[in-house]
Amino acid sequence: MSELKVDVLVIGWGKAGKTIAGRLAGEGRKVALVERSPQMYGGACINIACVPTKDLIDSASKRDGQDPVTYFASAVSDRDALIAKLNHANHAMLEGKVLLLDGVASFTGPHSVKVSGEDDEIAVQAKTIIVNTGSHPATLPIPGADGPRVHDSTTIQHVDPLPSRLVVVGGGFIGLEFAQMFARFGSQVTLLEAGETFAPALDSDVADRVRSMLESEGVTVVTGARAISFNDTGHHVDVVTDDQTFTSDAVLVAAGRLPATEDLNLAAAGVATNERGYIPVDDQLRTNVSGVYAVGDVNGGPQFTYVSLDDNRVLWDTLHDGPRRRDDRVAVPTTTFLDPPLSQVGMTMHQARESGRSVLVASKDVATIAAMPRPKIVGQTEGLIRVFVDADDHTILGATLWCIDSQELINLVSLAMRLGTRYETLRDGIWTHPSSTEAFNEVLGVLEPLT
């Protein structure tokens, strides 16, 4: 076993890890970064998550009657070509600046890690170790879950051929995105939600409209349907619930995610984990072991690439006695990439009612917003814009934006919330025309007390 001593060891090539590795190397530190798979250079987002799935979603929206099987195969090929370029570019960003190690990392002590590659092992010593191993799709502990026709959000992207019938198990945001995407590729999609309420994180009226939209595109939505087994017949797979059986050619299990810590041997370092396996950290991303930090999904925070990027900023300040902390974060937005995209920040209707504040609400269907012609231009008028405002100081408390370009508009609302800007600033803003931003001129012009 060869030996290596570095100032900083980063385990995992995710957004936070690759960014902090490059920055620390740039100030003269000796930095090593270990990644178990060359297919993951650059992290999950560009290789198997955000970017490739959104590329497929975009392709699905453009099928326009073409043969489903042939078109899907072509879309997957285009996806793979894009991801190969991004994977190579991410490797090139750090090559020559950071010592790049291929292999599986496991702790042997608080500041020592063994990296096991195909042909050798390296014992690495580092004063600072940053765990950035991310997360992976959760499985279901039911019979048949390991069957050949049962997929997670990663493997379903290369299902071959396009399934004529697809059952999506899980009605969370990942399930919703894939359900609409595969319906548009041409699959007959059934979406199973174990709970009795569809999309409970949404305002009930928004959830009802999202469900209606999916159903209008051919997705069958079934609530109160808990999968208890997957029975592979050799020709198809039967998804068995408590009271029904759904026959399909493939199954997507969208049941959440779990931390990728299985091979780290954290016990050897004395690094604590919680009941779900995540590594708890304080607001400066420090674990319970001095000099060991956890960033990105693995620390149990919000599982978004942009939060991982902010972890990099927080950790930079932690290592340089700066002020930034995790508890500085406010008004962090989210987007579910349906078509149109559904974005949220801050309070929902239920939360606003329960807040004890005096709240005003502005809400309009996109199709009725005269000052927002862009949806009509592109032929996508589904959705609504809803904003909650504090009646006393006129600051924005939250928003649900379900409309074209909402993934951009929500960032503007989030910024206004972070700055404590009064809603009138958005209402009276001078925005380009025709743009989606113009909606704020009209929607925020009519506020009513929330009842």
Side-chain angles (χ1 to χ4, degrees), residues 38-96:
Q39 282 70 49
M40 292 299 289
Y41 292 156
C45 177
I46 69 161
N47 289 292
I48 60 173
C50 320
V51 175
T53 59
K54 304 314 172 279
D55 182 74
L56 289 173
I57 287 170
D58 181 68
S59 294
S61 70
K62 298 174 179 176
R63 183 168 68 90
D64 195 26
Q66 298 179 59
D67 173 68
V69 173
T70 303
Y71 185 81
F72 178 70
S74 176
V76 172
S77 178
D78 291 344
R79 167 220 181 271
D80 291 350
L82 170 64
I83 299 315
K85 291 178 182 178
L86 295 178
N87 179 285
H88 176 75
N90 270 260
H91 190 277
M93 288 177 188
L94 295 182
E95 192 173 18

